[in-house]
Amino acid sequence: MDFTLTPEQQSFRDEVRGWLKNNVSESWVARLRQSSDVPRPEVYDLLRDWQRQMYEAGFVGLTWPKEYGGRSLTFMEEMILHEEMALAKAPPVLNILAIGMAGPTIIAYGTEEQKKRYPPKMLSCEEVWCQGYSEPNSGSDLASLSTRAVKDGEHYVVNGQKVWTSLAHVADWMMLLARTDADAPKHKGITYFLLDMHSPGVTVKPLRQLTGDAEFNEVYFDNVRVHESQILGGLNNGWAVGMTTLMYERLALGFGLQVRLRIALDGLVELARNTTKNGAPVTKDPVMRQKLAQLWIDTEVFKYTGARAITKLLKGELPGPEASAGKMMWVDGHQRVQDLAMEIEGSYSQLTKGSAWAVAEGLWQHTFLRSRANSIEGGTTEIQKNIIGERVLGLPKG
Ligand SMILES: Cc1cc2nc3c(=O)[nH]c(=O)nc-3n(C[C@H](O)[C@H](O)[C@H](O)COP(=O)(O)OP(=O)(O)OC[C@H]3O[C@@H](n4cnc5c(N)ncnc54)[C@H](O)[C@@H]3O)c2cc1C
């Protein structure tokens, strides 16, 4: 990939840089930064406003076609935007599942009506989306899902349960995978629906996590009626459509989380600079220096691996199984950043928010605990390894 910017790309970079400089205000971003890589409930409203501001300035959905609310730019501009956001320590947008997954999937598979209806409100954050894939007995083996959608005139009647549904408690819409043909082989009887979360019969019950936050939920469907026009990509074609969403998810993770990793690493270096051990700054300790330098190297490698995936997209190809490598690099890098933060804090790492002696008001304790979920969400590390083994290396099926 050629990293030399064209004059147009340079002026785009200057435009983004200037805008971020004027709009990333230190006071409230300091608060948002406490939110780690995943938005915490207490900052949802701020992030909603932040996304709207970014959208109005033209910086959300850069690669989406103009007619559906985007700017029809390339992934090169998307990469520039993410790089600048990392430098400015800008917060993430709230509607991450719509921008990273639902939107690109609707643009790829939607009818003209669906493409006009949904993407613009995703970008402006007027409508928040969640992803209804996992069920109590179907996670890694997603194709075994058992939520049913049975045809009744022009509608489908949905019954069943989803679990671990992030943002469902604030979502207006769900990407729903449901079984529409119980007799077909398991991958062939699934349909992808765009489900209105405000429909009668939808119940959302928050689940509290290790961190104490309730950022995901159980979602129950009790005779929920969905019109057939809400099917995306055709009846019983949900597996192909759903997998496209997951490819975009891993790609978006690669893009967006590269920025979050960089911001987390910068924070870690700051923590090391401000911490002394045995009378000397931690940054003077040769072992700590090695660990910090290795993390910096890995963060750069992550960035360039992302750039390789972009080269593919610039050639007009869809994101492929190699996106799994980006997901794994994020997980490994981010968990090591968090582990090292605990090591740097030493015995203070035991003190959480609420203790007068907690370092940085317990921020690192929260992000450390939250980072444990990274190797599960978006497909577990073992599953990513299976994908790489089978589909990149051509090894026999596990
Ligand atoms: C913070 C968070 C947010 C999430 N948000 C969402 C969301 O918004 N929407 C959604 O639909 N889901 C969401 N999930 C669910 C997530 O996608 C699943 O948890 C994940 O896919 C694993 O499924 P499972 O929990 O059923 O575990 P299982 O599939 O039961 O896996 C258990 C263990 O077995 C291993 N394993 C399973 N199969 C294999 C295999 N073939 N080879 C080797 N090892 C294997 C797994 O790696 C894992 O270690 C979220 C999860 C988390 C933690």
Side-chain angles (χ1 to χ4, degrees):
M1 179 174 203
D2 183 1
F3 285 102
T4 323
L5 300 186
T6 63
E8 293 77 31
Q9 287 163 350
Q10 268 178 31
S11 84
F12 175 76
R13 187 197 57 196
D14 296 343
E15 181 195 337
V16 178
R17 192 171 286 180
W19 188 84
L20 288 170
K21 191 164 183 279
N22 291 331
N23 290 278
V24 178
S25 94
E26 257 315 310
S27 57
W28 65 272
V29 170
R31 230 189 109 198
L32 288 179
R33 225 178 278 145
Q34 303 268 328
S35 169
S36 77
D37 53 290
V38 174
R40 295 186 69 177
E42 63 263 33
V43 293
Y44 284 167
D45 288 342
L46 286 175
L47 291 179
R48 201 187 284 269
D49 288 347
W50 167 246
Q51 179 172 339
R52 189 169 310 123
Q53 249 180 290
M54 277 192 70
Y55 171 66
E56 281 164 7
F59 297 132
V60 190
L62 296 183
T63 59
W64 297 16
K66 273 191 188 142
E67 59 268 41
Y68 310 131
R71 278 181 72 175
S72 295
L73 293 172
T74 72
F75 280 94
M76 194 65 194
E77 281 82 10
E78 188 79 31
M79 195 171 86
I80 294 168
L81 173 74
H82 281 92
E83 179 77 16
E84 291 302 318
M85 285 179 74
L87 289 172
K89 304 211 183 311
V93 295
L94 177 66
N95 213 2
I96 35 181
L97 302 178
I99 306 302
M101 295 186 251
T105 312
I106 289 176
I107 290 168
Y109 284 98
T111 59
E112 202 46 37
E113 207 182 328
Q114 289 169 335
K115 289 195 270 192
K116 289 240 155 69
R117 161 69 185 82
Y118 297 104
K121 291 193 174 178
M122 294 175 168
L123 295 171
S124 61
C125 207
E126 275 167 83
E127 290 175 346
V128 173
W129 283 68
C130 65
Q131 180 188 28
Y133 279 26
S134 306
E135 296 184 2
N137 293 313
S138 303
S140 304
D141 182 18
L142 187 61
S144 68
L145 61 87
S146 60
T147 291
R148 293 180 322 282
V150 177
K151 192 152 170 53
D152 178 23
E154 286 183 3
H155 287 81
Y156 281 81
V157 180
V158 183
N159 280 287
Q161 189 205 332
K162 297 289 170 182
V163 72
W164 319 128
T165 322
S166 306
L167 294 175
H169 52 302
V170 286
D172 303 291
W173 291 92
M174 171 187 273
M175 308 164 241
L176 168 71
L177 288 183
R179 189 158 302 284
T180 35
D181 184 350
D183 300 324
K186 63 179 185 177
H187 292 86
K188 307 244 164 159
I190 296 171
T191 299
Y192 194 120
F193 292 94
L194 310 176
L195 178 101
D196 182 347
M197 289 292 283
H198 307 294
S199 308
V202 176
T203 307
V204 178
K205 292 187 180 169
L207 288 169
R208 202 158 290 284
Q209 293 155 256
L210 184 66
T211 53
D213 290 343
E215 128 206 347
F216 55 24
N217 308 268
E218 295 176 306
V219 181
Y220 294 87
F221 309 104
D222 185 12
N223 290 320
V224 179
R225 295 181 75 78
V226 192
H227 194 264
E228 59 189 3
S229 60
Q230 299 298 99
I231 289 177
L232 182 69
L235 185 65
N236 294 327
N237 193 32
W239 188 251
V241 183
M243 285 306 107
T244 306
T245 300
L246 289 185
M247 293 297 185
Y248 277 108
E249 177 176 25
R250 279 157 209 158
L251 183 84
L253 284 169
F255 258 139
L257 294 182
Q258 186 257 111
V259 175
R260 310 316 309 167
L261 182 59
R262 174 90 171 270
I263 293 174
L265 177 62
D266 288 350
L268 183 70
V269 173
E270 215 174 291
L271 176 73
R273 282 210 174 99
N274 295 329
T275 308
T276 48
K277 251 184 199 158
N278 304 326
V282 163
T283 42
K284 293 265 183 202
D285 178 330
V287 176
M288 289 293 187
R289 291 165 70 94
Q290 291 281 334
K291 288 184 180 176
L292 288 168
Q294 189 59 50
L295 275 167
W296 184 84
I297 293 166
D298 295 343
T299 306
E300 289 296 290
V301 171
F302 183 22
K303 183 167 102 187
Y304 292 114
T305 306
R308 203 159 48 182
I310 291 165
T311 312
K312 205 170 162 186
L313 294 173
L314 288 173
K315 289 186 194 150
E317 296 170 35
L318 282 175
E322 65 286 340
S324 291
K327 158 81 190 352
M328 285 178 60
M329 289 169 105
W330 149 252
V331 170
D332 177 63
H334 191 235
Q335 290 183 342
R336 277 194 292 132
V337 164
Q338 299 302 331
D339 291 349
L340 192 51
M342 295 300 104
E343 202 180 327
I344 290 171
E345 288 191 8
S347 48
Y348 283 89
S349 66
Q350 304 296 309
L351 303 175
T352 54
K353 192 173 181 171
S355 161
W357 293 279
V359 179
E361 294 174 36
L363 164 69
W364 289 100
Q365 281 63 36
H366 180 273
T367 51
F368 169 79
L369 291 175
R370 180 58 182 80
S371 73
R372 298 300 103 189
N374 295 158
S375 37
I376 305 171
E377 58 195 324
T380 69
T381 295
E382 290 75 22
I383 295 302
Q384 308 305 326
K385 285 181 180 169
N386 281 348
I387 293 173
I388 292 171
E390 287 167 26
R391 299 182 46 205
V392 180
L393 300 175
L395 301 179
K397 268 190 175 297

